[in-house]
Every structure is written in structure tokens, then in C-alpha cells.
Amino acid sequence: GVPLKRDGQTVGMIGLGNREGGYRTEDREAAEALAPAILQALLSRRTADTLRESEERFRTLAELVPSLLWNCDPAGKVVVVNQQWGDYTGQGPDEIQDGGWLATIHPDEMAETERVFTEAFATGRSVERQQRIRRRDGAYRWFLVRHAPARDADGRITRWFGAATDI
């Protein structure tokens, strides 16, 4: 067999089955040359599986929480909202894009809300504010809105997460 090594430690093996007369040097060299690619494919698969499981857990939690939840890409494009957002506001996923979510904000607070969120995306600073959000029947209720960036190990923003809790 050919060991799969990561950081000097064996993390797996490529097993070569029995072959009449054994394996030639070229066969072993070919398997050794493929080992890094096989290891990378294995690690990528594990990473993808872990990410998928993490996203499934997040979606489940997002649907259990009574708050309106969302997450955005680093530039502020809404990636997902939870079911509570749609149930409360009546907006579907397409309607929230390109600032469409601002239509749910009370007219007296809309310009300030847009300014605060634009500034947050530009500076990377979190948002915490109270504002009124329109219910699907047209009534407004006060919410505590929090919006914060998630950062990678180098401090770069990878996502924004937000929650609006009825107060």
C-alpha cells in the first residue's frame, strides 16, 4: 500500500490489491504520485460534508427561533431568511434582494435604516437598533434589530448574520 500523509502523519492508505507477479516499480511510483491528489479529494469531501451538516443544523435552528433571521454575503446580498421573515412580512426570497427588505421598514425610519446598514457593510461594524417592521397585514411592531459580521481567521468578513426580535 501507499500511505496518505498529512503534516507528516499517516491518515490513510491506498491499498493495492494482489497482482500476479507483484507490482512493478512504475506501478508503485504512479500510486505514490496520485497519493496527494487522493488525500486532497478525501479532505475536500470531508470538508463539504461538515459544511453541509453545519448548514442543516443552522437551518433547523433558524426555523426554531421566533425571531426574524437572515444572513448576507460580505457585500450585503441577502443569502437566506428564515420562514418567520416570510410569515411576518409576507416577503418572499426574491422580494428582499437589492434592498427590497427596506419596504418592510416604517417610512419614518427607512432612510436612517438604509444609512446605518450601508455604513455597517462599508466599515464592518455591527448594528443594534430598535425600529418598526411592517407585518404582512400592514401593521407595524417594534423590533430589536442586531446585525453582525462573521470573520475568518484573518479577520475578513465571510458572512453577515442578523436577527430582529419583536419587543
Side-chain angles (χ1 to χ4, degrees):
V2 176
L4 298 175
K5 295 198 174 258
R6 182 176 186 202
D7 299 328
Q9 293 186 349
T10 300
V11 296
M13 291 289 286
I14 301 172
L16 302 175
N18 291 334
R19 178 176 175 185
E20 231 177 275
Y23 286 92
R24 300 171 300 172
T25 302
E26 300 86 38
D27 297 327
R28 181 168 177 83
E29 288 172 353
E32 288 173 350
L34 285 173
I38 292 170
L39 177 61
Q40 185 59 45
L42 176 65
L43 294 175
S44 293
R45 175 61 191 250
R46 287 181 182 167
T47 299
D49 288 347
T50 300
L51 180 60
R52 182 183 40 76
E53 291 167 6
S54 175
E55 287 174 347
E56 287 172 6
R57 282 192 304 274
F58 174 77
R59 274 192 291 278
T60 300
L61 283 171
E63 297 310 320
L64 291 174
V65 173
S67 296
L68 313 180
L69 303 178
W70 62 89
N71 80 54
C72 304
D73 69 12
K77 179 178 176 9
V78 178
V79 176
V80 68
V81 293
N82 67 347
Q83 183 66 42
Q84 286 78 333
W85 177 274
D87 291 348
Y88 181 82
T89 67
Q91 281 189 325
D94 294 337
E95 296 170 280
I96 60 177
Q97 297 304 329
D98 301 320
W101 62 272
L102 282 166
T104 67
I105 306 303
H106 192 280
D108 294 346
E109 298 148 14
M110 194 180 299
E112 178 65 7
T113 298
E114 183 175 19
R115 186 194 68 72
V116 166
F117 275 79
T118 299
E119 182 179 298
F121 287 120
T123 64
R125 286 195 297 259
S126 297
V127 171
E128 182 172 324
R129 59 185 276 116
Q130 293 180 18
Q131 63 188 55
R132 290 170 283 183
I133 300 176
R134 187 186 69 231
R135 197 168 52 203
R136 69 183 324 133
D137 65 4
Y140 286 90
R141 292 186 55 84
W142 284 97
F143 282 78
L144 173 61
V145 175
R146 292 183 172 148
H147 181 76
R151 299 177 186 273
D152 65 14
D154 296 322
R156 290 183 300 255
I157 294 173
T158 58
R159 289 243 194 231
W160 286 86
F161 290 94
T165 304
D166 188 335
I167 54 172

